[in-house]
Amino acid sequence: RAYQGYDCLVLAGSGLTAASDIAEGVEITTQKASALCRQLVEAGTLVVEDIKVAKKGKVKGYALAAPEGDEA
């Protein structure tokens, strides 16, 4: 259940969401958000890509993975 908030936050945004934005949204550290996002990527719940963020450079962006059988 701890991941439910992450799913909603990532889903609420358009495109990819940086771990720092997720951390801010659920009031935890960026490091904790990054660690949890990595676990969700390993579980297949999220996908990860590098994104460019102004004044930060490249960071990892997270999005919900397409459900199985939903591949276009």
Side-chain angles (χ1 to χ4, degrees):
R1 295 211 189 276
Y3 301 135
Q4 188 174 21
Y6 289 92
D7 291 351
C8 293
L9 186 62
V10 172
L11 182 61
S14 60
L16 298 165
T17 304
S20 59
D21 294 331
I22 295 170
E24 185 178 322
V26 293
E27 300 177 350
I28 60 173
T29 65
T30 300
Q31 293 81 2
K32 181 71 172 177
S34 293
L36 291 170
C37 286
R38 281 192 302 273
Q39 290 176 353
L40 290 169
V41 168
E42 289 176 14
T45 303
L46 296 179
V47 294
V48 61
E49 287 183 35
D50 286 334
I51 57 174
K52 291 182 184 178
V53 176
K55 299 183 182 181
K56 290 187 181 181
K58 282 187 185 178
V59 298
K60 302 225 180 282
Y62 299 91
L64 290 175
E68 282 188 37
D70 240 13
E71 298 160 12

